[in-house]
Amino acid sequence: MSKTVITYGTFDMFHIGHLRLLRRLAELGDRLIVAVSTEEFNAEKGKKTLIPYDQRTEIIRAIRYVDEVIPEHSWEQKLDDVRRYDVSIFAIGEDWKGRFDFLKPYCDVIYLPRTEGISSTELKRSLNRFSSISREDLLHACEVLEALRKDFA
Ligand code: CTP
């Protein structure tokens, strides 16, 4: 019998942790459905994304491990989805360990290890650090300007 796997997530700023998770999920069964969090649902969760929903879904849909993409618009939809798509396995990263055990009467529930050292939140932080000018660079720029001012005085 063919096995359908389902997972849920925001997948903002798609990164290697996301890719490895999707690969492992695809290996668990024959068909992988990914529910991508909508802007409205993220707002409800207090999560701000850099990449809009349409682009996040377009990227996920293009990954060869993924067979179908659906919207994730609420916490409550999971049981409905499991029934509607005849899901055998619900799987997600272990940052959610235990949170979805209530699905166990309906399908297998698996928590997979995360890739260490990367997350969308961390990427957003690095972007901030990357784009801000350091104190040393600012002081150096001031010195250069001061020297130029003297040259042209
Ligand atoms: N994930 C993973 N390894 C990572 C980051 C995420 O396996 N390094 C998994 C999560 O456990 C989840 C899925 O990818 O099952 C989607 O997670 P998401 O929250 O969208 O990604 P994060 O990078 O964790 O984003 P954030 O920092 O906003 O929580």
Side-chain angles (χ1 to χ4, degrees), residues 9-12 15 17-18 21 47 92-93 95 113-115 118-121:
T10 300
F11 300 97
D12 194 22
H15 57 68
H18 294 148
L21 178 90
K47 208 168 189 175
I92 198 160
D95 40 324
R114 282 168 67 92
T115 299
I118 190 158
S119 72
S120 306
T121 306

Side-chain angles (χ1 to χ4, degrees), residues 55-116:
Q55 294 181 22
R56 285 183 284 117
T57 52
E58 198 174 327
I59 291 167
I60 300 291
R61 199 171 289 119
I63 304 290
R64 66 185 157 101
Y65 311 120
V66 177
D67 297 290
E68 194 171 343
V69 177
I70 61 169
E72 182 191 28
H73 47 73
S74 76
W75 292 110
E76 297 78 30
Q77 76 186 73
K78 294 190 178 66
L79 187 50
D80 268 358
D81 293 343
V82 165
R83 288 180 173 138
R84 178 174 310 143
Y85 297 102
D86 198 16
V87 168
S88 312
I89 302 171
F90 169 97
I92 198 160
E94 65 189 358
D95 40 324
W96 294 98
K97 200 164 190 150
R99 288 285 295 276
F100 302 110
D101 286 356
F102 67 92
L103 292 169
K104 280 184 176 171
Y106 310 95
C107 61
D108 289 341
V109 175
I110 299 175
Y111 302 99
L112 293 168
R114 282 168 67 92
T115 299
E116 292 295 316

Side-chain angles (χ1 to χ4, degrees), residues 7-12 34-57 60-61 69-75 77 81:
T7 196
Y8 295 77
T10 300
F11 300 97
D12 194 22
V34 181
V36 176
S37 306
T38 61
E39 312 296 18
E40 295 74 18
F41 185 49
N42 276 324
E44 203 180 300
K45 290 192 281 187
K47 208 168 189 175
K48 245 168 89 180
T49 55
L50 208 68
I51 309 297
Y53 173 77
D54 286 348
Q55 294 181 22
R56 285 183 284 117
T57 52
I60 300 291
R61 199 171 289 119
V69 177
I70 61 169
E72 182 191 28
H73 47 73
S74 76
W75 292 110
Q77 76 186 73
D81 293 343

